[in-house]
Amino acid sequence: MSQTLRTRHYARRLITAALTITVMAGTAGWTVAHEEQAITGPPPGTGRWLADHSLGGRELPDPRSTSPARIARFFDGLGPAQRQALVIRHPDVVGNLDGAPPALRYAANARALRSARDAERKADPDGAPAKRYDALLAPGRQILAFDPRGRGQVAEVFGDLATARRTAVVVPGSDIDLAGFDRTHDRYGTPAGMATSLRAQLARDAPGTRTAVVAWAGYTTPVGLGPDAATSRLAKAGAPRLDRFLAGLAVTTAATADAPPTVFCHSYGSVVCGVAAAAMDRTRVSDLVAFGSPGMGVDDADDLGTEARVWAARDDSDWIRRVTGYDFMGLGHGEDPTASAFGARVVSADHAHGHTGYFAPGTDSLRNFARIVLGDFGAVRCGHPARDQDCRHDLV
């Protein structure tokens, strides 16, 4: 890059940084009171779990240090009655234990949700939390993770992980928590709405292929526009949780899957994915897709350090384009992933409309996302064909 181009690039970043600071300061303020307390560490109830010696002296795996692969082997060595006993005694731990069988986690989280609901009903019978837990307990829902601490975290499976040949994981951005996980307004901006829509598109495109999509709201997200959204603090806290979750998913789906999962990272979720990317080898993740992204914490896709294929999408109507492409004094998240200089495979997001419309039916982005999950790369429609290298190069 010439000195003139470097100067222009730097100037653009300064202007973008100034604009972002102005927007955020005017919208949400820059006070410490707005900072979210990140939920990290092992599941609630870990102390009681580790003190349990009911399996004839056999120690239970430490959620803080035992790999998901070893946890899977631990459960493989238990009989049905022993597994069920652990679900009954320690639902909070089993329900969040990456590497444990999904069906066991569903049962454990159902118990944990009922307990949380009953406690809320005693405090406020008609309150929103009790109704929220009731909704998550509806028949047919498969809750893969549930942590009521803080604003609450949850993950839900759509489809059958035990038989799926193709899987995907959706990582959401700001303002997502237990209350907003499947809100009815702005449906395609929620993890549950995105996952439901993607799985429906997969069924339309490949009706004979067994698929599963996981909506993963397993980290503390920023609220509104402010310091949390402009820095990587919460992303760095959430990335180890995503890494561990994906490692557990790899263990529990490898037997039936044709390929490792595709991970979709929306908005601030792409910052989390950027921090976590270095651990995403091709046994854990086949494809990494950033959409509506403010940046992934690097200026070049190669700097992510992942073996997964990296894709990017952004509709021209998405306001995020005004606050991407810079990293200045700890604010911002690096180059725009859809920029040519970044080096991702850019796909069309035509008709997505705004920041949360990428999974709306009829959009190029939803069709492209489904084709990436299915490995149907020849049908992917690239973005900016006149400017960028064909996104399907070396894939078809």
Side-chain angles (χ1 to χ4, degrees), residues 189-214:
T190 71
M194 288 187 275
T196 301
S197 184
L198 177 58
R199 186 151 188 270
Q201 185 68 43
L202 292 169
R204 286 190 291 269
D205 290 352
T209 300
R210 295 184 298 274
T211 62
V213 182
V214 184

Side-chain angles (χ1 to χ4, degrees), residues 120-136:
E120 289 292 343
R121 280 180 175 172
K122 288 181 180 179
D124 184 1
D126 297 318
K131 294 178 180 177
R132 178 87 284 268
Y133 296 142
D134 265 335
L136 291 172

Side-chain angles (χ1 to χ4, degrees), residues 157-161 164 166-169 199 202 210-214:
V157 176
F158 299 85
D160 186 356
L161 280 176
R166 294 282 178 169
T167 58
V169 177
R199 186 151 188 270
L202 292 169
R210 295 184 298 274
T211 62
V213 182
V214 184

Side-chain angles (χ1 to χ4, degrees), residues 51-68:
D52 187 335
H53 301 290
S54 60
L55 294 181
R58 185 177 183 182
E59 291 188 358
L60 302 183
D62 189 338
R64 295 167 297 192
S65 58
T66 308
S67 71

Side-chain angles (χ1 to χ4, degrees), residues 29-42:
W30 288 97
T31 62
V32 175
H34 288 289
E35 290 188 351
E36 294 295 308
Q37 181 63 44
I39 301 300
T40 58

